[in-house]
Amino acid sequence: MNLSPVKSSELTSPHSAAFLSEPSSIYDNYHSSQVFIPRRDQQFDMQRLLSSRKVVKNDPSIQFHFGHIGKNFPIWLRVPSDKPENTFWTSTLKKETATEEETATEETKTEKNTTAWIEWCRNSSMHIFLGKTAAQFQVLETANIFHIDSYEKYEHLLKEYPHSGNDDFIDWERVAIDFDAVHCAQGFDLPGWSCESTAWFNRDKLVFLKSLNSQEIDL
């Protein structure tokens, strides 16, 4: 079954407006604090980081399935992972109060710059994904971003952009036609996304601000 791209006008209908319009204040920190961290074995190369790559949706036919789960189960139980391939990933810079065992008193608590991605890598013992430097970006106000902070919004995106091969999966190539990026908000995990993060389809909407070293961010 061939499906035509969903037009932006269709997504901004009264029925869809609630999913696309958010008060700008909610994402003020988001717009100025997007961070990309290369893997430990990768060189930090800004031109390479921002080079264009084709957005390719994961092939639903090769996804891992935990036996047969019927359509009556919620989508997040039927689909273990639904991520776009070959996109540019960032996570939002934030400060976290550190309470290491050796600095557990109130007087010695410190704040460190971190991201949800850094925290996930540390908690999952996946330190190989954390290089020695990071890049901080500013998001242009003209960026058209679909923010997902609930299963209702995720299912709305799935309904508007079903994959022709398996409608339990999103057709990310079609999403990339109408949006510059999709953001998985803090405290909500899309299937397989692991943590707060953004998949960028259009990197022209990102402006490089500066490099961050291990003294500036908890790498």
Side-chain angles (χ1 to χ4, degrees):
M1 175 174 63
N2 293 322
L3 297 172
S4 59
V6 176
K7 298 178 181 179
S8 297
S9 59
E10 295 173 339
L11 284 170
T12 53
S13 63
H15 174 72
S16 303
F19 294 93
L20 301 178
S21 59
E22 298 283 359
S24 59
S25 59
I26 293 178
Y27 299 110
D28 282 348
N29 183 58
Y30 172 90
H31 276 80
S32 62
S33 306
Q34 288 307 294
V35 174
F36 171 82
I37 303 173
R39 289 170 60 111
R40 183 176 296 177
D41 58 351
Q42 293 179 343
Q43 295 295 317
F44 189 80
D45 184 336
M46 187 54 57
Q47 286 190 335
R48 182 186 64 79
L49 293 180
L50 294 178
S51 63
S52 61
R53 286 186 261 174
K54 183 179 179 181
V55 177
V56 179
K57 169 66 183 70
N58 289 345
D59 184 355
S61 66
I62 61 174
Q63 292 289 332
F64 294 101
H65 291 277
F66 304 106
H68 175 73
I69 300 180
K71 289 281 188 179
N72 57 316
F73 282 82
I75 184 66
W76 51 93
L77 293 180
R78 302 200 304 267
V79 176
S81 181
D82 190 10
K83 298 174 66 174
E85 292 180 346
N86 299 328
T87 56
F88 187 71
W89 292 88
T90 64
S91 190
T92 307
L93 187 69
K94 62 180 181 177
K95 288 187 179 293
E96 179 183 83
T97 301
T99 55
E100 303 288 341
E101 289 184 2
E102 62 272 18
T103 60
T105 65
E106 286 293 327
E107 293 77 11
T108 56
K109 284 183 180 178
T110 59
E111 283 193 336
K112 58 182 178 179
N113 289 319
T114 185
T115 70
W117 172 242
I118 292 175
E119 294 167 354
W120 183 88
C121 288
R122 294 197 181 285
N123 293 336
S124 305
S125 299
M126 300 296 287
H127 298 84
I128 189 174
F129 291 127
L130 299 177
K132 296 181 179 179
T133 56
Q136 183 174 348
F137 295 90
Q138 171 80 38
V139 179
L140 295 180
E141 292 296 330
T142 57
N144 188 12
I145 304 168
F146 194 99
H147 296 280
I148 301 179
D149 56 12
S150 68
Y151 285 119
E152 186 180 19
K153 289 185 179 180
Y154 170 61
E155 290 186 321
H156 177 79
L157 195 66
L158 180 65
K159 179 181 178 181
E160 297 284 359
Y161 298 90
H163 196 283
S164 60
N166 186 334
D167 60 10
D168 276 347
F169 292 83
I170 292 171
D171 188 335
W172 293 108
E173 284 192 276
R174 292 176 57 214
V175 175
I177 294 172
D178 291 323
F179 294 94
D180 297 309
V182 170
H183 173 226
C184 176
Q186 181 72 29
F188 174 77
D189 296 335
L190 287 171
W193 287 48
S194 303
C195 64
E196 184 273 331
S197 54
T198 302
W200 290 93
F201 310 123
N202 180 9
R203 273 168 275 186
D204 290 340
K205 297 299 181 177
L206 290 171
V207 177
F208 174 68
L209 293 180
K210 62 180 179 178
S211 298
L212 303 171
N213 58 37
S214 58
Q215 278 71 50
E216 297 170 288
I217 192 170
D218 187 33
L219 296 173

